[in-house]
Amino acid sequence: MIYIVFAHPYPSQSRANRTLLDAVRSLPGVEVCSLYDRYPDFDIDVTSEQAALGRARLIVWMHPIFWYSVPGLLKHWFDKVLTYGWAFGDGGSALHGKDCLWVATTGGSVETYSATGIHQRSFADFTRPVEETAVFCGMNWQSPCILHGANEIDKPALAAHALQLRRRLEVWLAIHGEGASEKAGHAP
Ligand SMILES: Cc1cc2nc3c(=O)[nH]c(=O)nc-3n(C[C@H](O)[C@H](O)[C@H](O)COP(=O)(O)O)c2cc1C
C-alpha cells in the first residue's frame, strides 16, 4: 500500500532519516526498500521494483539532500525503474493516479535557503526536477515533507517532526487504506 524508497548511502550513520524511517516503518501496509542496503553494487532489480510500485498506492522517496538533489543511487533508481512504456510514454501508465510523497532532509537551515542565505534561493527552487519526475509519470504530487537543519536539530524537535510524518501517513491510510471505503460506506 505504501512503498518507501529509502536512499541513504550510510543508513547506520544517519540520524535524521533513520529517525523518520523508524517512525513510520511499522505502520500497516508499509513496505520499505533501503536502496543502498539492497543494491550496494547499484545493480537494481527492475522487475522487483516495478512490482513493488505496482502494489503501492502511495510512493515515498525518503533521503538526505545531496548537492541540491537526490543521492546517486536514487537517481539511478529513477533512470532504471521509471522506464518508457511502463512509467511514461506509449502505454506507460503503471504509476498513473498513485500518490507520491517526497520526504527529504537538508543540512542547511531554513535561513540558508533564501535570497540572502548561503544557498541564495528558496528550497522550492531546487525541488522542480524531483516533482516533475513524479508528475511526468502521472503521479499525484503531495506537499513535500522537508526537514531543514537536519544536522543541528535537537532530539525532541526531530522526534516531533517524525511524529508529524507518522500522523500524516496514518491519515493517508485512514482515507486510502484497506477497508477505508467499506468503513466510509458503513458510517453510522
Ligand atoms: C555529499 C553530501 C552533499 C550534501 N549536499 C547538501 C546540499 O546540497 N544541501 C544541504 O542543505 N545539505 C547537504 N548535505 C547535508 C545533508 O543533507 C545532511 O547531512 C543530511 O540531511 C542529514 O541527514 P542524516 O542524519 O539522515 O544523514 C550534504 C551532505 C553530503 C554528505
Side-chain angles (χ1 to χ4, degrees), residues 23-24 26-27 161-171:
V24 297
S26 64
L27 285 170
H161 182 82
L163 189 61
Q164 254 179 24
L165 174 64
R166 184 180 168 91
R167 294 273 176 270
R168 196 166 161 186
L169 294 196
E170 283 173 343
V171 168

Side-chain angles (χ1 to χ4, degrees), residues 20-132:
L20 298 180
L21 184 63
D22 286 348
V24 297
R25 68 184 319 155
S26 64
L27 285 170
V30 168
E31 189 178 346
V32 178
C33 178
S34 175
L35 287 187
Y36 284 88
D37 285 321
R38 177 127 194 239
Y39 306 116
D41 52 4
F42 276 50
D43 190 8
I44 290 174
D45 183 340
V46 174
T47 306
S48 159
E49 291 303 314
Q50 290 182 341
L53 292 173
R55 289 191 292 275
R57 286 188 59 199
L58 170 63
I59 292 151
V60 177
W61 293 328
M62 185 183 290
H63 63 89
I65 293 292
F66 279 4
W67 290 110
Y68 308 106
S69 186
V70 301
L73 184 50
L74 181 54
K75 176 62 171 61
H76 187 56
W77 183 94
F78 289 163
D79 298 346
K80 300 299 284 187
V81 177
L82 307 180
T83 50
Y84 178 88
W86 186 82
F88 70 96
D90 205 10
S93 60
L95 300 175
H96 284 192
K98 294 179 190 283
D99 292 335
C100 183
L101 175 63
W102 191 29
V103 179
T105 64
T106 73
S109 63
V110 179
E111 299 74 40
T112 65
Y113 283 98
S114 67
T116 52
I118 195 169
H119 301 298
Q120 302 186 58
R121 294 168 182 281
S122 77
F123 187 71
D125 285 351
F126 300 102
T127 64
R128 289 286 174 220
V130 175
E131 176 175 348
E132 213 44 47

Side-chain angles (χ1 to χ4, degrees), residues 129-174:
V130 175
E131 176 175 348
E132 213 44 47
T133 299
V135 171
F136 192 71
C137 295
M139 292 193 269
N140 305 317
W141 183 247
Q142 310 290 296
S143 165
C145 174
I146 307 297
L147 174 68
H148 294 294
N151 296 326
E152 313 300 330
I153 192 169
D154 64 28
K155 224 174 158 183
L158 178 57
H161 182 82
L163 189 61
Q164 254 179 24
L165 174 64
R166 184 180 168 91
R167 294 273 176 270
R168 196 166 161 186
L169 294 196
E170 283 173 343
V171 168
W172 187 93
L173 280 165

